[in-house]
Structure formats: C-alpha cells, structure tokens
Amino acid sequence: MIAIDGPAASGKSTVGRLLAEQLDYLYLDTGCMYRAVTWAALQQGIDLGDETAVTHLAHNIQMEIFPVREGEKDGRHYTVHVNGQDITWELRTPAIDANVSQVSSYLGVRQEMVRRQRAFGQRGAVVMVGRDIGTVVMPDAPLKLYITASAEERARRRTRDRSDQGHTASYDAILADVQRRDQIDSNRQHSPLRPATDAILIDSTDQPPAAIVNAILQMIQEPVNGER
Ligand code: DC
C-alpha cells in the first residue's frame, strides 16, 4: 500500500500512476470520487449548500472506476462511470473545479468516500492518491509520500493541461482557483490537507515526475539495514 497526498496539480497523480505502472499495482485517484459526487449533484440540480442532500447523494451514488481499456485511448488515465454513464471527462471542467472543495468539506460525504476507498485498499498492492490518504484513509500504509510544488508552478501545469484538452485557459484565473482550493482544503474542519507525520515530503517544482518516481523506486528497493 502506497499513500500519496498533496495539493491540487502538485504532480501527485502522475507520480502515483507511473509508480503503479512500474510496480504493477492498482491505482486509485480518490479526487475523482469527490468530483463524481459534485458532478452528480450539479446534474440533479441539488443545492450544493444543502449538506444533507449532498450527503444522501454520496451514499446512494453508483460509481465505478475502471482501468483504461482498448479503444479508450483519448488521453484518459482511468474511466469513471456514474449510474452506468461514462463521465470521465466531465470531471475535469471548471464547474467541477469550482465546486468540489465545498462538496468534499462535508463530513458525511467524506465518511462514505473513505469507506469505499478502504474497501478498494483491501485488495492490496494499491497506490492511492488524494489529500487524506496517509492521515485518515490508510494511516498504516508503510509508505507515505506528500508531494507539493509552488502554487505558480501548479497553476502553470493546470493551464497547460486545460489547453491540451482543447479548452481556453487563463493562467491568472487558474492560479486564483488553485490558491482558493488550497485555502479551503487545508483549513476545512474534517481531514484537512496536511502531511502525515511519517510522510516523506517531496517538492516537485523543479523535478519531473519520472525523476521522482525513480528516486522512490530506488528508495523502496534499497535493502533495509543491509539485508538482501
Ligand atoms: O485531486 P483533485 O484536484 O482531483 O481533488 C478534487 C477535490 O477533492 C479537492 O479539492 C479536495 C478533494 N479531495 C479530498 O478532500 N480528499 C481526497 N482524498 C481527494 C480529494
């Protein structure tokens, strides 16, 4: 079990995915689960300020996450279905970015998502990525990483991703959104974003994901106390 946490666009998802590929582990990006609840709430016209209604939705939503299959080579890293509908790309829109922090601040929503994440973790050999994996979801994970980067670098990356996906993207607006989400995610009452006390801190501002992955692989393959 490998737990990876960090703020938006810190590179944690890329590192997690590459690491899972190299180790032949399952990969779960837990952010997509909070995004899926947000998408369904918007879709159903639920008032996002209505905590009871959003929590009820989180308990009842039928959500499935699959690895990429043949014929789905459109740049996706996994496929998300809600009630049988493929909503993978719907999860990356500015409307979801703008509202997901509010939805993920609700205790009942978090409890249900954490329950589902732990069930997934039971399968073992998993790289799980999010905000509270090392602190709450998998506090006993033997390897915990906390990946950060400057807000400016993270906004540059998000701007690039957006335009690669064919959307118009304003760096200034994205930087403001990244900073706003950092603020909400780090200061919320339930499971705020923070490194576990035993997490390894990694700053990805000047390091490409592949270099980080290599360093981690080397670290976990090093013999402990000289044992082989
Ligand atoms: O990693 P991301 O940008 O897709 O995450 C979307 C939102 O979900 C983010 O603003 C915080 C929330 N989140 C969370 O609270 N806990 C997690 N384990 C993962 C994401």
Side-chain angles (χ1 to χ4, degrees), residues 30-31 34-35 100-101 104 110 130-132 181 185 188:
T30 59
Y34 294 95
R35 288 173 179 268
V100 65
S101 283
S104 61
R110 302 203 66 80
R131 300 289 191 291
D132 60 342
R181 284 213 283 148
D185 295 344
R188 68 182 175 216

Side-chain angles (χ1 to χ4, degrees), residues 170-228:
S170 143
Y171 168 81
D172 289 339
I174 290 177
L175 177 60
D177 183 63
V178 161
Q179 288 169 329
R180 186 186 61 86
R181 284 213 283 148
D182 283 358
Q183 171 72 13
I184 301 179
D185 295 344
S186 307
N187 293 296
R188 68 182 175 216
Q189 188 186 353
H190 310 295
S191 316
L193 169 66
R194 66 173 54 124
T197 47
D198 51 350
I200 298 168
L201 306 186
I202 298 170
D203 187 331
S204 76
T205 308
D206 299 314
Q207 284 191 85
I212 297 175
V213 169
N214 282 339
I216 298 165
L217 287 174
Q218 229 166 30
M219 198 173 64
I220 58 186
Q221 280 155 9
E222 258 170 26
V224 179
N225 297 332
E227 283 171 31
R228 289 209 171 259

Side-chain angles (χ1 to χ4, degrees), residues 27-226:
Y27 169 68
L28 180 63
D29 168 14
T30 59
C32 81
M33 299 172 68
Y34 294 95
R35 288 173 179 268
V37 176
T38 307
W39 177 86
L42 291 171
Q43 185 78 2
Q44 295 176 25
I46 293 172
D47 172 6
L48 296 183
D50 183 343
E51 182 168 350
T52 308
V54 176
T55 302
H56 181 76
L57 171 70
H59 278 85
N60 291 297
I61 190 170
Q62 198 222 334
M63 186 192 299
E64 288 165 299
I65 303 165
F66 307 106
V68 177
R69 289 179 287 210
E70 277 309 311
E72 285 178 331
K73 303 268 186 238
D74 58 358
R76 67 181 59 202
H77 300 306
Y78 47 76
T79 294
V80 183
H81 282 189
V82 164
N83 301 327
Q85 184 185 346
D86 181 351
I87 57 153
T88 312
W89 288 115
E90 323 278 331
L91 300 181
R92 301 289 146 193
T93 61
I96 303 293
D97 281 354
N99 290 296
V100 65
S101 283
Q102 182 180 15
V103 167
S104 61
S105 71
Y106 295 145
L107 178 62
V109 172
R110 302 203 66 80
Q111 286 173 331
E112 176 58 17
M113 294 303 115
V114 168
R115 188 188 67 73
R116 295 182 189 208
Q117 290 154 16
R118 286 184 179 148
F120 190 97
Q122 293 297 317
R123 303 179 197 185
V126 173
V127 177
M128 206 179 288
V129 175
R131 300 289 191 291
D132 60 342
I133 310 304
T135 51
V136 175
V137 181
M138 296 286 164
D140 298 329
L143 180 63
K144 299 178 186 175
L145 309 172
Y146 187 88
I147 304 183
T148 54
S150 70
E152 291 73 18
E153 174 59 20
R154 291 185 285 125
R156 272 193 290 277
R157 291 174 187 168
R158 221 3 77 103
T159 310
R160 213 167 35 227
D161 289 350
R162 274 277 141 66
S163 54
D164 287 352
Q165 289 161 14
H167 301 293
T168 47
S170 143
Y171 168 81
D172 289 339
I174 290 177
L175 177 60
D177 183 63
V178 161
Q179 288 169 329
R180 186 186 61 86
R181 284 213 283 148
D182 283 358
Q183 171 72 13
I184 301 179
D185 295 344
S186 307
N187 293 296
R188 68 182 175 216
Q189 188 186 353
H190 310 295
S191 316
L193 169 66
R194 66 173 54 124
T197 47
D198 51 350
I200 298 168
L201 306 186
I202 298 170
D203 187 331
S204 76
T205 308
D206 299 314
Q207 284 191 85
I212 297 175
V213 169
N214 282 339
I216 298 165
L217 287 174
Q218 229 166 30
M219 198 173 64
I220 58 186
Q221 280 155 9
E222 258 170 26
V224 179
N225 297 332

